[in-house]
C-alpha cells in the first residue's frame, strides 16, 4: 500500500483506435485486463472496470499512460484521480530490465505501465490539476510546438535531398530567416525542381515567382542575386539523374499516400506506425521506404509484387 492508500493500480497502453487496460493489486496480481475502444463507450467501459475494483470518489485508482493529451486523458483527469504520463523511454527501459522478451505487445505494455506505477510511483510526476483555462492554453501551445516541429522535420528532409543534387538552392535560401521553409523558397523550387531548370530562369520569371510568394519589395536585387546563384558553377549529376531526383520524393509520397486506400497491407503498416506514436510524415516515409525495398526485391528476383508476402505479419493468412 502506498502512502496515499493506493492498493490497486491501472495501466493503459493507448493507440489510435483502441486502448489496452490492465489492473493489478499491490502484490502484482493481475486483477483484470480489457481492450476498450477510443470513444464514449470505451471510456465508460474503463470507468466501470475501475469501479468494479474499488474505484471511488474518495479513493480513485491511479492510472499510468504514455501520453498527457487526448480525450481519454481528459476523461481520467475530470475527477481528483492521479494520472501519470510515463515517458515511453522509461517504459522501454523497464520492459528491457524486467521482461524475458523485448518484443512489444499492447497488453504486455499495459501491464508494464501498471507495474511501473505499483513499484515506482514515487519516481514519476502526476499530471497537475490544471484549470480549464490552463488546459486550453496548454493545448494551443502544444499545437503550435507540434506545427513547428513538423515543419522543421520536413525542412530537414528537403535539405538532405537538396544537398545530394541541388546545392544552388541551399546557397540561395539557407542563410535567410526561415531558410528552406520560406514562401519564396518553396515557390522557386516548385518552378524549378532541378538545377538545369533553375539555370534557365529569366529575371522576369524569378520576379513573378517572388511576387506570387508574397514578396513586396527589393525585387530587382533579389532576382539578380538568385539568377547569379543558379547560373554559377556547382557540382552536377547527369541530366537524367537530376530529373529523377526532382520527381522521386514527390512521386514516392504520392505512391505511399495512394496505397493507403488501395492496399490493405500498406494501410495496416501505416496505422501500426501511427498507433505507436509516429507522425503522419514519418509513418508515410517509413511506408515509402518499405515499398522501395519491395520494388528493389521484385526487380532483383524478376517476380511480381505480392501483397500477402510483402505485409505478411500484418495481414490475415489467406483462406
Amino acid at each position: 500500500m502506498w502512502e496515499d492508500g493506493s492498493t490497486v493500480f491501472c495501466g493503459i497502453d493507448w493507440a489510435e483506435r483502441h486502448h489496452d487496460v490492465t489492473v493489478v493489486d499491490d502484490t502484482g496480481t493481475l486483477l483484470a485486463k480489457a481492450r476498450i475502444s477510443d470513444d464514449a463507450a470505451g471510456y465508460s467501459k474503463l470507468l466501470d472496470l475501475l469501479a468494479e475494483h474499488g474505484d471511488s470518489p474518495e479513493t480513485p485508482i491511479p492510472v499510468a499512460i504514455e501520453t498527457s493529451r487526448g480525450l481519454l486523458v481528459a476523461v481520467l483527469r475530470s475527477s481528483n484521480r492521479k494520472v501519470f504520463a510515463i515517458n515511453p523511454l522509461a517504459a522501454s527501459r523497464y520492459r528491457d530490465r524486467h521482461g524475458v522478451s523485448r518484443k512489444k505487445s499492447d497488453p504486455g505494455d499495459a501491464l508494464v505501465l501498471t507495474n511501473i506505477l505499483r513499484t515506482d510511483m514515487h519516481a514519476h510526476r502526476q499530471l497537475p490539476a490544471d484549470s480549464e483555462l490552463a488546459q486550453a492554453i496548454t493545448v494551443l501551445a502544444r499545437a503550435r510546438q507540434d506545427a513547428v516541429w513538423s515543419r522543421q522535420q520536413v525542412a530537414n528532409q528537403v535539405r538532405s535531398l537538396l544537398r545530394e543534387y541541388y546545392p544552388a538552392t541551399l546557397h540561395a535560401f539557407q542563410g535567410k530567416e526561415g531558410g528552406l521553409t520560406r514562401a519564396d523558397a518553396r515557390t522557386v523550387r516548385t518552378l524549378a525542381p532541378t538545377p538545369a531548370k533553375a539555370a534557365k530562369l529569366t529575371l522576369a520569371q524569378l520576379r513573378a515567382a517572388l511576387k506570387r510568394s508574397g514578396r513586396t519589395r527589393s525585387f530587382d536585387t533579389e532576382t539578380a542575386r538568385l539568377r547569379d546563384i543558379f547560373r554559377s558553377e556547382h557540382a552536377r549529376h547527369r541530366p537524367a539523374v537530376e530529373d529523377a531526383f526532382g520527381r522521386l520524393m514527390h512521386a514516392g509520397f504520392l505512391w505511399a499516400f495512394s496505397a493507403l486506400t488501395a492496399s490493405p497491407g500498406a494501410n495496416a503498416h501505416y496505422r501500426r506506425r501511427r498507433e505507436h506514436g509516429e507522425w503522419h510524415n514519418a509513418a508515410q516515409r517509413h511506408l515509402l521506404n518499405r515499398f522501395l525495398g519491395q520494388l528493389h526485391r521484385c526487380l532483383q528476383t524478376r517476380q511480381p509484387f505480392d501483397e500477402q508476402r510483402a505485409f505478411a505479419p500484418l495481414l490475415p493468412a489467406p483462406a
Side-chain angles (χ1 to χ4, degrees):
M1 178 184 294
W2 280 88
E3 294 178 359
D4 65 354
S6 299
T7 58
V8 178
F9 309 86
C10 175
I12 302 176
D13 184 76
W14 70 279
E16 188 171 295
R17 296 183 177 181
H18 64 260
H19 315 293
D20 285 283
V21 182
T22 59
V23 179
V24 303
D25 65 17
D26 56 355
T27 67
T29 301
L30 179 65
L31 302 177
K33 64 179 180 178
R35 172 166 287 187
I36 63 172
S37 53
D38 186 45
D39 53 24
Y43 306 154
S44 178
K45 180 179 178 180
L46 170 62
L47 296 179
D48 289 343
L49 179 68
L50 294 177
E52 290 172 11
H53 291 87
D55 191 62
S56 69
E58 295 75 27
T59 57
I61 294 175
V63 174
I65 189 169
E66 284 182 306
T67 183
S68 61
R69 63 184 74 181
L71 289 175
L72 175 59
V73 175
V75 169
L76 292 170
R77 296 180 69 187
S78 61
S79 62
N80 64 338
R81 181 185 317 282
K82 290 183 177 181
V83 180
F84 295 79
I86 307 297
N87 188 299
L89 291 177
S92 178
R93 295 191 197 100
Y94 191 96
R95 188 186 311 114
D96 291 344
R97 290 200 309 269
H98 299 279
V100 176
S101 170
R102 294 188 178 188
K103 184 176 181 180
K104 180 177 173 61
S105 70
D106 294 338
D109 278 1
L111 187 58
V112 166
L113 291 169
T114 311
N115 282 315
I116 287 177
L117 207 58
R118 179 178 66 86
T119 60
D120 297 308
M121 184 189 292
H122 62 276
H124 299 276
R125 187 163 59 93
Q126 72 179 83
L127 295 177
D130 291 335
S131 67
E132 183 177 349
L133 178 58
Q135 291 183 38
I137 293 172
T138 299
V139 169
L140 295 175
R142 280 178 177 159
R144 185 182 185 283
Q145 180 65 81
D146 289 347
V148 170
W149 283 339
S150 180
R151 182 188 66 182
Q152 190 57 48
Q153 185 182 49
V154 173
N156 291 341
Q157 295 169 16
V158 172
R159 183 184 301 112
S160 179
L161 178 63
L162 294 176
R163 187 177 291 114
E164 290 190 47
Y165 86 106
Y166 199 171
T169 195
L170 294 179
H171 296 164
F173 298 107
Q174 201 159 353
K176 291 179 169 287
E177 183 179 355
L180 297 174
T181 65
R182 294 166 55 90
D184 52 355
R186 298 196 306 270
T187 303
V188 171
R189 285 201 308 274
T190 301
L191 181 64
T194 67
K197 291 181 179 179
K200 294 178 182 178
L201 291 176
T202 65
L203 290 175
Q205 289 174 318
L206 285 168
R207 183 183 179 90
L210 294 179
K211 189 173 183 179
R212 286 197 304 274
S213 72
R215 192 181 184 94
T216 58
R217 57 188 177 84
S218 303
F219 286 105
D220 294 339
T221 302
E222 183 64 4
T223 53
R225 186 186 74 86
L226 291 175
R227 186 187 61 174
D228 290 345
I229 290 175
F230 291 144
R231 294 188 179 183
S232 61
E233 290 189 10
H234 296 278
R236 297 271 296 272
H237 287 286
R238 292 181 177 181
V241 178
E242 278 190 359
D243 287 342
F245 270 113
R247 290 187 317 269
L248 178 61
M249 290 307 291
H250 180 65
F253 275 100
L254 285 178
W255 178 18
F257 183 74
S258 300
L260 296 180
T261 55
S263 164
N267 187 275
H269 180 89
Y270 170 83
R271 291 295 173 191
R272 185 172 180 82
R273 306 294 300 191
R274 291 283 285 151
E275 287 173 358
H276 287 81
E278 286 192 359
W279 294 83
H280 165 74
N281 287 337
Q284 192 173 356
R285 186 174 65 253
H286 195 279
L287 176 59
L288 172 57
N289 288 339
R290 185 166 184 138
F291 270 140
L292 291 175
Q294 293 292 332
L295 175 60
H296 182 260
R297 174 81 175 169
C298 290
L299 293 174
Q300 267 191 330
T301 60
R302 297 181 180 275
Q303 294 179 354
F305 176 76
D306 184 333
E307 169 97 0
Q308 189 69 38
R309 189 173 181 181
F311 297 102
L314 301 173
L315 295 175

